[in-house]
């Protein structure tokens, strides 16, 4: 009978037996294998240290008296490393002195069983510690999810509070100016003010679009409807939408995708990704620069590449890009404002579609954002 709680099958767990006596290994191995545990064996402490890295055991049954490196020292080293400190260790030993038992627990073992042992008791103890390990892992995961949810909520409020205010203040200011002075202003001046109003409305609308999409994705309300889509078309449509901005900034915007390139993904999400990445390229590229979009195929993926010859980013800043708990945003080369939400949304949507996003950038030279998406063969 398998014992499964919320997808966790403890009888599939990997148990590392560390013992230098062949007979002990055989006895233990057959007891555990009867219960369908996966077994790995190390014959001394040093072997155990490398086996732990290799097989990533769920629990260790550790003898104490062994050549090379004894069980106490092995336990100490495992507990010192962040990668292995959480693996439960049960000492299984002929050392029955109270001082040894105390030492074992002080070194961080979860249990101490003396030889000769009772097979049923050993199994019950192993099971209990596997359950506990699983509960700890679930708690840690939930804690991490909770921390992310709190960071997301904080970010949401901060955007509503700060970033939405800017464009609306500009809108109110300029429209009021126009209302009060409409009769006095020359046509040129009116045009200039209307342009400001238009730019601000566009900025607020882009921001709201990202905010709504992101809020939906956070609450699981966003639909994921993948189908066969042609990346070349999506890029073309977005270039048409953003061409005005490119012309105004005197940035050359062009696609090098010459033939249809099909991916299996959600069209709405891919549109948002492409628009955000091209917008960023334009935003952070000065007069006379270039934003270029290309694509390359591998066996399973299409990689979409958005490169610009803009201001680029330093290594420290690149590390802040996709993090919800870090509010990182800088003004564009024409003082465009932002929220630092676009790339977080891009990463979320790319991953939802089974792809990955990465970035290469050099300060003063430009940036390259690369996204992979599952390829779909054309008809
Ligand atoms: P926003 O552009 O609204 O601030 P993003 O998440 O799209 O939000 O980008 C976060 C930050 O990353 C930007 O503010 C900018 O500092 C940096 N960044 C993004 N794309 C580029 C780029 N192509 N070139 C230089 N910096 C960029």
């Amino acid at each position: 009978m398998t014992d499964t709680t919320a997808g966790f099958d403890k009888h599939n767990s990997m148990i590392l037996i560390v013992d230098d006596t062949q007979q002990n290994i055989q006895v233990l191995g057959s007891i555990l294998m009867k219960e369908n545990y996966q077994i790995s064996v190390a014959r001394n402490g040093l072997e155990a240290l490398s086996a732990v890295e290799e097989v990533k055991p769920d629990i260790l049954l550790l003898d104490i008296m062994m050549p090379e490196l004894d069980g106490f020292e092995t336990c100490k080293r495992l507990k010192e490393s962040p990668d292995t400190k959480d693996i439960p260790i049960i000492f299984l030993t002929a050392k029955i002195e109270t001082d040894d038992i105390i030492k074992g627990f002080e070194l961080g073992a979860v249990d101490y069983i003396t030889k000769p042992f009772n097979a049923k008791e050993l199994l019950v103890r192993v099971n209990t510690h596997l359950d506990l390990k699983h509960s700890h892992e679930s708690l840690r995961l939930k804690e991490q999810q909770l921390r992310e949810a709190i960071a997301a909520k904080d970010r949401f409020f901060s955007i509503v509070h700060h970033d939405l205010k800017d464009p609306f203040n500009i809108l109110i200011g300029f429209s009021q100016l126009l209302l009060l002075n409409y009769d006095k202003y020359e046509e040129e001046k009116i045009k200039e003010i209307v342009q400001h109003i238009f730019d601000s409305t566009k900025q607020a609308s882009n921001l709201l679009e990202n905010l709504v999409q992101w809020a939906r994705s956070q609450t699981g309300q966003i639909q994921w409807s993948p189908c066969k889509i042609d990346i070349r078309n999506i890029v073309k449509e977005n270039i048409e939408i953003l061409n005005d901005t490119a012309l105004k900034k005197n940035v050359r915007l062009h696609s090098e995708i010459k033939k249809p390139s099909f991916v299996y993904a959600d069209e709405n999400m891919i549109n948002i990704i492409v628009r955000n990445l091209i917008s960023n390229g334009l935003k952070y590229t000065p007069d006379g620069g270039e934003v270029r979009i290309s694509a390359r195929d591998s066996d399973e993926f299409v990689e979409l590449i958005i490169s610009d010859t803009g201001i680029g980013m330093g290594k420290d800043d690149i590390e802040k890009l996709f993090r919800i708990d870090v509010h990182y945003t800088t003004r564009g080369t024409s003082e465009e404002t932002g929220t630092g939400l676009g790339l977080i949304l891009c990463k979320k949507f790319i991953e939802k579609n089974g792809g990955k996003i990465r970035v290469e950038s050099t300060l003063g030279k430009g940036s390259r954002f690369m996204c992979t998406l599952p390829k779909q063969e054309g008809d």
Side-chain angles (χ1 to χ4, degrees), residues 280-281 283-284 308 311-313 321 328-330 338-344 367 369:
N280 276 352
K283 192 157 144 188
Y284 298 102
D308 64 64
I311 56 175
M313 285 169 277
L321 289 186
Y328 177 64
T329 176
T330 56
T339 58
L341 200 60
L343 290 177
I344 290 168
S367 308
F369 285 82

Side-chain angles (χ1 to χ4, degrees), residues 167-185 189-190 193-194 196-198 200:
F168 276 104
N169 281 342
I170 296 172
L171 267 178
I172 292 169
F174 278 113
S175 46
Q176 195 176 30
L177 200 66
L178 203 57
L179 270 178
L180 294 176
N181 301 292
Y182 192 80
D183 297 334
K184 281 182 254 159
Y185 281 161
K189 179 77 183 169
I190 294 175
I193 291 176
V194 172
H196 281 306
I197 292 176
F198 176 75
S200 236

Side-chain angles (χ1 to χ4, degrees), residues 155 163 207 210 276-285 291 306-314 317-318 320-322 327-332 336-346 359-363 366-369:
R155 175 65 85 80
D163 303 319
L207 197 161
N210 273 352
N276 268 294
L277 294 179
I278 299 181
S279 296
N280 276 352
L282 294 172
K283 192 157 144 188
Y284 298 102
T285 301
V291 174
I306 290 109
S307 334
D308 64 64
T309 58
I311 56 175
M313 285 169 277
D317 291 334
I318 291 177
K320 297 179 201 156
L321 289 186
F322 303 103
H327 190 179
Y328 177 64
T329 176
T330 56
R331 290 200 174 233
E336 300 98 321
T337 54
T339 58
L341 200 60
L343 290 177
I344 290 168
L345 199 60
C346 286
V359 53
E360 287 168 1
S361 190
T362 312
L363 261 180
S367 308
R368 240 152 86 93
F369 285 82

